[in-house]
Amino acid sequence: MAGRHLLERLSRGVLVGDGAMGTMLYAKGVYINRCFDELNLTEPDLVRGVHSGYVEAGADFLETNTFGANTFKLEPHGLGDRVPEINRQGAEIAREAAGEEVLVAGAIGPLGVPIEPIGRIAFEEARAGFRDQAEALAEGGADFLIMETFHRLEEMREAIRGAREATDLPLVAQMTLTEENATALGDPAAQVAARLEEWGADVVGLNCSVGPRPMLKALEVVREYTARPLSVMPNAGMPRLVEGRYLYLSSPDYFAKYARRFFQAGAKIVGGCCGTTPDHIRAVAAAARAIPRKTAALEPARTPVRLSPKVLPEAKAVPSRAKSAFAEALASGRFAVSVEVSPPRGPDPARVLERIRLLEEAGVDAVNIPDGPRASARMSSLALAVLAGQETGIEVILHYCCRDRNLLGMQSDLLGAGPLGIRNLLIVTGDPPKMGDYPDATAVFDVDSIGLLQIAGRLNHGQDIAGNPMSQPTALHLGVGVNPAAVNLDEEVRRFEYKVEAGAEYALTQPVYDVSVLERFIRRTEHCRIPTLAGILPLRSHRNAEFLSNEVPGMEVPRSILDRMKAAPTGAEGREEGIAIAKEALRECAPMVQGVYVMPPFGKIDVALEVVAAVPPELRAPKQGM
């Protein structure tokens, strides 16, 4: 099989890879919002032309135009069912351009969606996606496979396993590191090298992310921890914004200077990633020709340095009921009462803190503090939660959303919550910015609520986001939101199952107006039941009810309730009718749930307390034997 020549070719000397495909296609007029992989089918001559340019420049192998040709990345373009066709065609186009002497590397990139434990894509699903792509590339004539631009070790592991299930072609595995010589999740370069060798990569490498200089530093670390041949494919420097366009500014001469250093440092494959062109590869090829035979040849395998991982005592997770007074209330069977109080829009928290004190005096178990509800610009919910803890004795349930922070920022906040006295979290995805005060603001959404919950669950079991052990676990009492009135109830139930599996310990529902809807949801989720607090939002007027029903995502106000509010048109009558409806819903929900979560309109604490007064007194006492 042609693919077996890779290691034989490396035994005779170094290999020069090609450069960027996307850079060249973009330069030829292909807009960045197009699916570049689809061009294998629709504009094969364009792709073939890019390949031919690299052959002419002196590349020893060509990467197929299939970096994003997996089911998950193709699906948004309506091409999810054409994975085999696009990959086979990509390999065939490269094979035609390569001729007899140049090898073809089947390019495989990350799936583009978060996998477990951060995302909802299971390892088995990820592996199957990589397997399908690898199989098609092999069928199309690839000589070896190159996995590149991976940020997470777990995803690279599944890529290698999937490829091994599909073919015995040699594998080049390239991870992306930051300038700190670590992955985005903090895995150090030494660990990256050791893991790639352990999982069976034939060549261990680095690509993308950084320019030549920091990649040389990373290479010098990696070479000490693996006996495998090494590959490096840096960007043409870090991109710079020039007159509205991102440009890569490393010249071919500069790139060639570092190519010589890469070879001298032990790299057996040197190519280019983002921003590199045939001119850069021509310069690398010239540098390769100047490498002495003894340096270029593949050296005998040596014994790499072995990692000595820091051994920490096994962290024992804190029992749920020991995490907070609110958790203890739920565990004891006492009907818990929580009221929502939003952060102020300005820097003065005095009025909001006064409302929280009133709730404490009334015996409310916990105050809910939402995190930028409806993408509004308010004081930090974390700041208000800390102030509430300092100024009052009431427990806080801090809403924490995925919209505004990346993975590392979220982990930092979660690690700091406990020391700040915050034990109860409600993990939510968050409303998109376009709903709020600043529709042009950007959103992060590295993960959704399920992914964030899995991160928090790991922390509760003494592991950080990268799976590294911590000296002790966090003790966060983790809650989630649910919508019993979801249009697609099957999907809502499925997500709820994921949330419970990921570590959810209690749930708060969207506002309930039709108790039969809540009852149906509870029946559907009996197999994964956790303590649930029914959401109660008192209506203020018919207009308010119509707005909630028609313009607020996740809300549904039944026609019967709209009619009742319409029959009470004046301000005072509308308010009283809204409170009456809320009390009725609370009494009907109470036997089915473990508490109530009241969302007073416009922060009206008096309304919340009036509704809370409807809780049957016998429910507030701990149950015997709990």
Side-chain angles (χ1 to χ4, degrees), residues 105-141:
I108 297 177
L111 297 177
V113 292
I115 67 172
E116 65 172 303
I118 295 173
R120 288 181 288 152
I121 305 302
F123 290 140
E124 292 79 5
E125 293 177 88
R127 193 182 314 148
F130 291 121
R131 182 174 61 243
D132 293 344
Q133 193 176 2
E135 184 175 37
L137 288 167
E139 291 174 356

PDB file of all heavy atoms in Angstrom, residues 105-141:
ATOM      1  N   ALA A 105      -1.759  13.342   1.763  1.00  0.00           N
ATOM      2  CA  ALA A 105      -2.149  13.243   3.173  1.00  0.00           C
ATOM      3  C   ALA A 105      -3.629  13.568   3.303  1.00  0.00           C
ATOM      4  O   ALA A 105      -4.057  14.657   2.920  1.00  0.00           O
ATOM      5  CB  ALA A 105      -1.324  14.201   4.027  1.00  0.00           C
ATOM      6  N   GLY A 106      -4.400  12.639   3.815  1.00  0.00           N
ATOM      7  CA  GLY A 106      -5.818  12.883   4.034  1.00  0.00           C
ATOM      8  C   GLY A 106      -6.006  13.762   5.255  1.00  0.00           C
ATOM      9  O   GLY A 106      -5.723  13.349   6.384  1.00  0.00           O
ATOM     10  N   ALA A 107      -6.468  15.004   5.058  1.00  0.00           N
ATOM     11  CA  ALA A 107      -6.569  15.979   6.150  1.00  0.00           C
ATOM     12  C   ALA A 107      -7.858  15.788   6.943  1.00  0.00           C
ATOM     13  O   ALA A 107      -8.947  15.732   6.372  1.00  0.00           O
ATOM     14  CB  ALA A 107      -6.502  17.394   5.600  1.00  0.00           C
ATOM     15  N   ILE A 108      -7.717  15.720   8.253  1.00  0.00           N
ATOM     16  CA  ILE A 108      -8.853  15.570   9.167  1.00  0.00           C
ATOM     17  C   ILE A 108      -8.709  16.608  10.270  1.00  0.00           C
ATOM     18  O   ILE A 108      -7.685  16.630  10.975  1.00  0.00           O
ATOM     19  CB  ILE A 108      -8.903  14.160   9.778  1.00  0.00           C
ATOM     20  CG1 ILE A 108      -9.129  13.109   8.673  1.00  0.00           C
ATOM     21  CG2 ILE A 108      -9.987  14.066  10.837  1.00  0.00           C
ATOM     22  CD1 ILE A 108      -9.115  11.680   9.176  1.00  0.00           C
ATOM     23  N   GLY A 109      -9.708  17.465  10.420  1.00  0.00           N
ATOM     24  CA  GLY A 109      -9.687  18.474  11.477  1.00  0.00           C
ATOM     25  C   GLY A 109     -10.688  18.147  12.566  1.00  0.00           C
ATOM     26  O   GLY A 109     -11.398  17.131  12.506  1.00  0.00           O
ATOM     27  N   PRO A 110     -10.770  18.975  13.599  1.00  0.00           N
ATOM     28  CA  PRO A 110     -11.735  18.761  14.687  1.00  0.00           C
ATOM     29  C   PRO A 110     -13.171  18.781  14.161  1.00  0.00           C
ATOM     30  O   PRO A 110     -13.449  19.293  13.069  1.00  0.00           O
ATOM     31  CB  PRO A 110     -11.475  19.940  15.627  1.00  0.00           C
ATOM     32  CG  PRO A 110     -10.118  20.447  15.265  1.00  0.00           C
ATOM     33  CD  PRO A 110      -9.956  20.183  13.803  1.00  0.00           C
ATOM     34  N   LEU A 111     -14.071  18.244  14.948  1.00  0.00           N
ATOM     35  CA  LEU A 111     -15.467  18.127  14.530  1.00  0.00           C
ATOM     36  C   LEU A 111     -16.188  19.465  14.484  1.00  0.00           C
ATOM     37  O   LEU A 111     -17.209  19.605  13.815  1.00  0.00           O
ATOM     38  CB  LEU A 111     -16.215  17.181  15.473  1.00  0.00           C
ATOM     39  CG  LEU A 111     -15.720  15.734  15.494  1.00  0.00           C
ATOM     40  CD1 LEU A 111     -16.505  14.929  16.518  1.00  0.00           C
ATOM     41  CD2 LEU A 111     -15.809  15.099  14.114  1.00  0.00           C
ATOM     42  N   GLY A 112     -15.692  20.451  15.220  1.00  0.00           N
ATOM     43  CA  GLY A 112     -16.350  21.752  15.223  1.00  0.00           C
ATOM     44  C   GLY A 112     -17.479  21.866  16.215  1.00  0.00           C
ATOM     45  O   GLY A 112     -18.164  22.884  16.281  1.00  0.00           O
ATOM     46  N   VAL A 113     -17.707  20.813  17.004  1.00  0.00           N
ATOM     47  CA  VAL A 113     -18.720  20.830  18.060  1.00  0.00           C
ATOM     48  C   VAL A 113     -18.070  20.261  19.323  1.00  0.00           C
ATOM     49  O   VAL A 113     -17.199  19.388  19.227  1.00  0.00           O
ATOM     50  CB  VAL A 113     -19.964  19.993  17.683  1.00  0.00           C
ATOM     51  CG1 VAL A 113     -20.729  20.642  16.545  1.00  0.00           C
ATOM     52  CG2 VAL A 113     -19.581  18.567  17.315  1.00  0.00           C
ATOM     53  N   PRO A 114     -18.445  20.756  20.491  1.00  0.00           N
ATOM     54  CA  PRO A 114     -17.834  20.232  21.719  1.00  0.00           C
ATOM     55  C   PRO A 114     -18.276  18.808  22.011  1.00  0.00           C
ATOM     56  O   PRO A 114     -19.448  18.469  21.861  1.00  0.00           O
ATOM     57  CB  PRO A 114     -18.328  21.209  22.803  1.00  0.00           C
ATOM     58  CG  PRO A 114     -19.576  21.809  22.239  1.00  0.00           C
ATOM     59  CD  PRO A 114     -19.395  21.856  20.760  1.00  0.00           C
ATOM     60  N   ILE A 115     -17.321  17.965  22.387  1.00  0.00           N
ATOM     61  CA  ILE A 115     -17.635  16.597  22.752  1.00  0.00           C
ATOM     62  C   ILE A 115     -17.553  16.456  24.266  1.00  0.00           C
ATOM     63  O   ILE A 115     -17.089  17.355  24.964  1.00  0.00           O
ATOM     64  CB  ILE A 115     -16.697  15.596  22.062  1.00  0.00           C
ATOM     65  CG1 ILE A 115     -15.253  15.736  22.575  1.00  0.00           C
ATOM     66  CG2 ILE A 115     -16.732  15.783  20.547  1.00  0.00           C
ATOM     67  CD1 ILE A 115     -14.321  14.642  22.066  1.00  0.00           C
ATOM     68  N   GLU A 116     -18.031  15.323  24.758  1.00  0.00           N
ATOM     69  CA  GLU A 116     -18.002  15.120  26.203  1.00  0.00           C
ATOM     70  C   GLU A 116     -16.560  15.211  26.734  1.00  0.00           C
ATOM     71  O   GLU A 116     -15.614  14.965  25.971  1.00  0.00           O
ATOM     72  CB  GLU A 116     -18.632  13.779  26.560  1.00  0.00           C
ATOM     73  CG  GLU A 116     -17.879  12.544  26.049  1.00  0.00           C
ATOM     74  CD  GLU A 116     -18.454  11.260  26.600  1.00  0.00           C
ATOM     75  OE1 GLU A 116     -18.509  11.116  27.840  1.00  0.00           O
ATOM     76  OE2 GLU A 116     -18.836  10.399  25.797  1.00  0.00           O
ATOM     77  N   PRO A 117     -16.344  15.602  27.968  1.00  0.00           N
ATOM     78  CA  PRO A 117     -17.358  15.938  28.971  1.00  0.00           C
ATOM     79  C   PRO A 117     -17.868  17.365  28.889  1.00  0.00           C
ATOM     80  O   PRO A 117     -18.703  17.752  29.695  1.00  0.00           O
ATOM     81  CB  PRO A 117     -16.607  15.719  30.290  1.00  0.00           C
ATOM     82  CG  PRO A 117     -15.206  16.105  29.958  1.00  0.00           C
ATOM     83  CD  PRO A 117     -14.983  15.657  28.531  1.00  0.00           C
ATOM     84  N   ILE A 118     -17.386  18.150  27.931  1.00  0.00           N
ATOM     85  CA  ILE A 118     -17.826  19.542  27.834  1.00  0.00           C
ATOM     86  C   ILE A 118     -19.106  19.653  27.019  1.00  0.00           C
ATOM     87  O   ILE A 118     -19.996  20.438  27.339  1.00  0.00           O
ATOM     88  CB  ILE A 118     -16.711  20.403  27.217  1.00  0.00           C
ATOM     89  CG1 ILE A 118     -15.501  20.442  28.159  1.00  0.00           C
ATOM     90  CG2 ILE A 118     -17.193  21.810  26.947  1.00  0.00           C
ATOM     91  CD1 ILE A 118     -14.298  21.132  27.568  1.00  0.00           C
ATOM     92  N   GLY A 119     -19.224  18.878  25.967  1.00  0.00           N
ATOM     93  CA  GLY A 119     -20.385  18.957  25.088  1.00  0.00           C
ATOM     94  C   GLY A 119     -21.248  17.717  25.141  1.00  0.00           C
ATOM     95  O   GLY A 119     -20.977  16.763  25.877  1.00  0.00           O
ATOM     96  N   ARG A 120     -22.273  17.711  24.283  1.00  0.00           N
ATOM     97  CA  ARG A 120     -23.232  16.612  24.283  1.00  0.00           C
ATOM     98  C   ARG A 120     -22.873  15.490  23.325  1.00  0.00           C
ATOM     99  O   ARG A 120     -23.539  14.461  23.292  1.00  0.00           O
ATOM    100  CB  ARG A 120     -24.622  17.146  23.918  1.00  0.00           C
ATOM    101  CG  ARG A 120     -25.272  17.969  25.008  1.00  0.00           C
ATOM    102  CD  ARG A 120     -26.643  18.424  24.556  1.00  0.00           C
ATOM    103  NE  ARG A 120     -26.549  19.453  23.521  1.00  0.00           N
ATOM    104  CZ  ARG A 120     -27.464  19.668  22.598  1.00  0.00           C
ATOM    105  NH1 ARG A 120     -28.520  18.919  22.531  1.00  0.00           N
ATOM    106  NH2 ARG A 120     -27.301  20.643  21.719  1.00  0.00           N
ATOM    107  N   ILE A 121     -21.838  15.679  22.511  1.00  0.00           N
ATOM    108  CA  ILE A 121     -21.431  14.638  21.583  1.00  0.00           C
ATOM    109  C   ILE A 121     -20.604  13.596  22.329  1.00  0.00           C
ATOM    110  O   ILE A 121     -19.555  13.905  22.886  1.00  0.00           O
ATOM    111  CB  ILE A 121     -20.614  15.231  20.416  1.00  0.00           C
ATOM    112  CG1 ILE A 121     -21.396  16.342  19.717  1.00  0.00           C
ATOM    113  CG2 ILE A 121     -20.236  14.132  19.427  1.00  0.00           C
ATOM    114  CD1 ILE A 121     -22.733  15.911  19.166  1.00  0.00           C
ATOM    115  N   ALA A 122     -21.106  12.366  22.351  1.00  0.00           N
ATOM    116  CA  ALA A 122     -20.417  11.296  23.072  1.00  0.00           C
ATOM    117  C   ALA A 122     -19.132  10.912  22.346  1.00  0.00           C
ATOM    118  O   ALA A 122     -18.995  11.113  21.135  1.00  0.00           O
ATOM    119  CB  ALA A 122     -21.330  10.077  23.206  1.00  0.00           C
ATOM    120  N   PHE A 123     -18.199  10.333  23.098  1.00  0.00           N
ATOM    121  CA  PHE A 123     -16.947   9.891  22.488  1.00  0.00           C
ATOM    122  C   PHE A 123     -17.211   8.937  21.326  1.00  0.00           C
ATOM    123  O   PHE A 123     -16.542   8.997  20.289  1.00  0.00           O
ATOM    124  CB  PHE A 123     -16.066   9.198  23.535  1.00  0.00           C
ATOM    125  CG  PHE A 123     -15.493  10.130  24.574  1.00  0.00           C
ATOM    126  CD1 PHE A 123     -15.418   9.754  25.906  1.00  0.00           C
ATOM    127  CD2 PHE A 123     -15.017  11.387  24.219  1.00  0.00           C
ATOM    128  CE1 PHE A 123     -14.884  10.602  26.862  1.00  0.00           C
ATOM    129  CE2 PHE A 123     -14.476  12.244  25.171  1.00  0.00           C
ATOM    130  CZ  PHE A 123     -14.415  11.847  26.497  1.00  0.00           C
ATOM    131  N   GLU A 124     -18.192   8.039  21.495  1.00  0.00           N
ATOM    132  CA  GLU A 124     -18.487   7.067  20.438  1.00  0.00           C
ATOM    133  C   GLU A 124     -18.983   7.770  19.174  1.00  0.00           C
ATOM    134  O   GLU A 124     -18.635   7.372  18.059  1.00  0.00           O
ATOM    135  CB  GLU A 124     -19.551   6.071  20.930  1.00  0.00           C
ATOM    136  CG  GLU A 124     -19.081   5.139  22.045  1.00  0.00           C
ATOM    137  CD  GLU A 124     -19.092   5.807  23.406  1.00  0.00           C
ATOM    138  OE1 GLU A 124     -19.564   6.972  23.512  1.00  0.00           O
ATOM    139  OE2 GLU A 124     -18.641   5.167  24.380  1.00  0.00           O
ATOM    140  N   GLU A 125     -19.806   8.821  19.335  1.00  0.00           N
ATOM    141  CA  GLU A 125     -20.279   9.570  18.169  1.00  0.00           C
ATOM    142  C   GLU A 125     -19.126  10.281  17.472  1.00  0.00           C
ATOM    143  O   GLU A 125     -19.044  10.312  16.233  1.00  0.00           O
ATOM    144  CB  GLU A 125     -21.319  10.605  18.601  1.00  0.00           C
ATOM    145  CG  GLU A 125     -22.624  10.046  19.116  1.00  0.00           C
ATOM    146  CD  GLU A 125     -23.550  11.153  19.576  1.00  0.00           C
ATOM    147  OE1 GLU A 125     -24.305  11.677  18.747  1.00  0.00           O
ATOM    148  OE2 GLU A 125     -23.503  11.492  20.775  1.00  0.00           O
ATOM    149  N   ALA A 126     -18.240  10.868  18.267  1.00  0.00           N
ATOM    150  CA  ALA A 126     -17.088  11.550  17.692  1.00  0.00           C
ATOM    151  C   ALA A 126     -16.209  10.567  16.926  1.00  0.00           C
ATOM    152  O   ALA A 126     -15.775  10.833  15.798  1.00  0.00           O
ATOM    153  CB  ALA A 126     -16.281  12.245  18.792  1.00  0.00           C
ATOM    154  N   ARG A 127     -15.956   9.417  17.541  1.00  0.00           N
ATOM    155  CA  ARG A 127     -15.105   8.411  16.910  1.00  0.00           C
ATOM    156  C   ARG A 127     -15.703   7.953  15.577  1.00  0.00           C
ATOM    157  O   ARG A 127     -14.991   7.779  14.587  1.00  0.00           O
ATOM    158  CB  ARG A 127     -14.927   7.226  17.853  1.00  0.00           C
ATOM    159  CG  ARG A 127     -13.817   6.265  17.453  1.00  0.00           C
ATOM    160  CD  ARG A 127     -13.771   5.105  18.439  1.00  0.00           C
ATOM    161  NE  ARG A 127     -13.851   5.591  19.807  1.00  0.00           N
ATOM    162  CZ  ARG A 127     -14.432   4.926  20.806  1.00  0.00           C
ATOM    163  NH1 ARG A 127     -14.990   3.750  20.593  1.00  0.00           N
ATOM    164  NH2 ARG A 127     -14.458   5.430  22.020  1.00  0.00           N
ATOM    165  N   ALA A 128     -17.023   7.776  15.561  1.00  0.00           N
ATOM    166  CA  ALA A 128     -17.687   7.348  14.327  1.00  0.00           C
ATOM    167  C   ALA A 128     -17.532   8.398  13.231  1.00  0.00           C
ATOM    168  O   ALA A 128     -17.340   8.075  12.054  1.00  0.00           O
ATOM    169  CB  ALA A 128     -19.159   7.069  14.596  1.00  0.00           C
ATOM    170  N   GLY A 129     -17.625   9.683  13.596  1.00  0.00           N
ATOM    171  CA  GLY A 129     -17.450  10.741  12.620  1.00  0.00           C
ATOM    172  C   GLY A 129     -16.066  10.725  12.004  1.00  0.00           C
ATOM    173  O   GLY A 129     -15.906  10.864  10.778  1.00  0.00           O
ATOM    174  N   PHE A 130     -15.048  10.545  12.841  1.00  0.00           N
ATOM    175  CA  PHE A 130     -13.683  10.468  12.327  1.00  0.00           C
ATOM    176  C   PHE A 130     -13.475   9.194  11.500  1.00  0.00           C
ATOM    177  O   PHE A 130     -12.762   9.210  10.491  1.00  0.00           O
ATOM    178  CB  PHE A 130     -12.683  10.516  13.485  1.00  0.00           C
ATOM    179  CG  PHE A 130     -12.619  11.835  14.185  1.00  0.00           C
ATOM    180  CD1 PHE A 130     -12.891  11.941  15.549  1.00  0.00           C
ATOM    181  CD2 PHE A 130     -12.294  12.992  13.493  1.00  0.00           C
ATOM    182  CE1 PHE A 130     -12.825  13.157  16.200  1.00  0.00           C
ATOM    183  CE2 PHE A 130     -12.222  14.220  14.139  1.00  0.00           C
ATOM    184  CZ  PHE A 130     -12.499  14.302  15.497  1.00  0.00           C
ATOM    185  N   ARG A 131     -14.089   8.109  11.944  1.00  0.00           N
ATOM    186  CA  ARG A 131     -13.945   6.843  11.218  1.00  0.00           C
ATOM    187  C   ARG A 131     -14.494   6.951   9.796  1.00  0.00           C
ATOM    188  O   ARG A 131     -13.860   6.505   8.830  1.00  0.00           O
ATOM    189  CB  ARG A 131     -14.667   5.731  11.972  1.00  0.00           C
ATOM    190  CG  ARG A 131     -14.542   4.359  11.308  1.00  0.00           C
ATOM    191  CD  ARG A 131     -15.154   3.258  12.165  1.00  0.00           C
ATOM    192  NE  ARG A 131     -16.572   3.459  12.385  1.00  0.00           N
ATOM    193  CZ  ARG A 131     -17.133   3.673  13.581  1.00  0.00           C
ATOM    194  NH1 ARG A 131     -16.388   3.742  14.666  1.00  0.00           N
ATOM    195  NH2 ARG A 131     -18.433   3.835  13.702  1.00  0.00           N
ATOM    196  N   ASP A 132     -15.664   7.568   9.672  1.00  0.00           N
ATOM    197  CA  ASP A 132     -16.268   7.718   8.346  1.00  0.00           C
ATOM    198  C   ASP A 132     -15.382   8.540   7.421  1.00  0.00           C
ATOM    199  O   ASP A 132     -15.227   8.224   6.237  1.00  0.00           O
ATOM    200  CB  ASP A 132     -17.638   8.389   8.477  1.00  0.00           C
ATOM    201  CG  ASP A 132     -18.660   7.509   9.185  1.00  0.00           C
ATOM    202  OD1 ASP A 132     -18.406   6.285   9.298  1.00  0.00           O
ATOM    203  OD2 ASP A 132     -19.698   8.048   9.629  1.00  0.00           O
ATOM    204  N   GLN A 133     -14.805   9.598   7.952  1.00  0.00           N
ATOM    205  CA  GLN A 133     -13.952  10.458   7.130  1.00  0.00           C
ATOM    206  C   GLN A 133     -12.673   9.733   6.735  1.00  0.00           C
ATOM    207  O   GLN A 133     -12.249   9.784   5.572  1.00  0.00           O
ATOM    208  CB  GLN A 133     -13.631  11.742   7.892  1.00  0.00           C
ATOM    209  CG  GLN A 133     -13.015  12.825   7.032  1.00  0.00           C
ATOM    210  CD  GLN A 133     -12.798  14.138   7.780  1.00  0.00           C
ATOM    211  OE1 GLN A 133     -13.075  14.253   8.974  1.00  0.00           O
ATOM    212  NE2 GLN A 133     -12.283  15.130   7.073  1.00  0.00           N
ATOM    213  N   ALA A 134     -12.051   9.040   7.687  1.00  0.00           N
ATOM    214  CA  ALA A 134     -10.807   8.325   7.402  1.00  0.00           C
ATOM    215  C   ALA A 134     -11.027   7.235   6.362  1.00  0.00           C
ATOM    216  O   ALA A 134     -10.190   7.033   5.462  1.00  0.00           O
ATOM    217  CB  ALA A 134     -10.246   7.725   8.690  1.00  0.00           C
ATOM    218  N   GLU A 135     -12.128   6.539   6.463  1.00  0.00           N
ATOM    219  CA  GLU A 135     -12.418   5.462   5.520  1.00  0.00           C
ATOM    220  C   GLU A 135     -12.539   5.998   4.095  1.00  0.00           C
ATOM    221  O   GLU A 135     -11.995   5.423   3.143  1.00  0.00           O
ATOM    222  CB  GLU A 135     -13.707   4.757   5.939  1.00  0.00           C
ATOM    223  CG  GLU A 135     -14.076   3.557   5.087  1.00  0.00           C
ATOM    224  CD  GLU A 135     -15.298   2.839   5.626  1.00  0.00           C
ATOM    225  OE1 GLU A 135     -16.226   3.529   6.135  1.00  0.00           O
ATOM    226  OE2 GLU A 135     -15.343   1.601   5.525  1.00  0.00           O
ATOM    227  N   ALA A 136     -13.244   7.113   3.941  1.00  0.00           N
ATOM    228  CA  ALA A 136     -13.434   7.688   2.615  1.00  0.00           C
ATOM    229  C   ALA A 136     -12.120   8.224   2.049  1.00  0.00           C
ATOM    230  O   ALA A 136     -11.849   8.105   0.848  1.00  0.00           O
ATOM    231  CB  ALA A 136     -14.479   8.799   2.668  1.00  0.00           C
ATOM    232  N   LEU A 137     -11.293   8.817   2.889  1.00  0.00           N
ATOM    233  CA  LEU A 137     -10.001   9.331   2.420  1.00  0.00           C
ATOM    234  C   LEU A 137      -9.105   8.185   1.940  1.00  0.00           C
ATOM    235  O   LEU A 137      -8.402   8.308   0.936  1.00  0.00           O
ATOM    236  CB  LEU A 137      -9.317  10.118   3.538  1.00  0.00           C
ATOM    237  CG  LEU A 137      -9.940  11.478   3.851  1.00  0.00           C
ATOM    238  CD1 LEU A 137      -9.395  12.022   5.169  1.00  0.00           C
ATOM    239  CD2 LEU A 137      -9.682  12.476   2.719  1.00  0.00           C
ATOM    240  N   ALA A 138      -9.125   7.071   2.679  1.00  0.00           N
ATOM    241  CA  ALA A 138      -8.339   5.912   2.269  1.00  0.00           C
ATOM    242  C   ALA A 138      -8.841   5.369   0.932  1.00  0.00           C
ATOM    243  O   ALA A 138      -8.044   5.028   0.048  1.00  0.00           O
ATOM    244  CB  ALA A 138      -8.403   4.835   3.349  1.00  0.00           C
ATOM    245  N   GLU A 139     -10.150   5.315   0.767  1.00  0.00           N
ATOM    246  CA  GLU A 139     -10.725   4.837  -0.486  1.00  0.00           C
ATOM    247  C   GLU A 139     -10.347   5.740  -1.652  1.00  0.00           C
ATOM    248  O   GLU A 139     -10.195   5.280  -2.795  1.00  0.00           O
ATOM    249  CB  GLU A 139     -12.246   4.756  -0.365  1.00  0.00           C
ATOM    250  CG  GLU A 139     -12.740   3.673   0.577  1.00  0.00           C
ATOM    251  CD  GLU A 139     -14.252   3.741   0.777  1.00  0.00           C
ATOM    252  OE1 GLU A 139     -14.877   4.679   0.235  1.00  0.00           O
ATOM    253  OE2 GLU A 139     -14.794   2.861   1.469  1.00  0.00           O
ATOM    254  N   GLY A 140     -10.194   7.030  -1.372  1.00  0.00           N
ATOM    255  CA  GLY A 140      -9.860   7.978  -2.431  1.00  0.00           C
ATOM    256  C   GLY A 140      -8.401   7.988  -2.827  1.00  0.00           C
ATOM    257  O   GLY A 140      -8.022   8.673  -3.777  1.00  0.00           O
ATOM    258  N   GLY A 141      -7.557   7.256  -2.081  1.00  0.00           N
ATOM    259  CA  GLY A 141      -6.153   7.153  -2.468  1.00  0.00           C
ATOM    260  C   GLY A 141      -5.165   7.889  -1.594  1.00  0.00           C
ATOM    261  O   GLY A 141      -4.009   8.074  -2.002  1.00  0.00           O
TER     262      GLY A 141
END
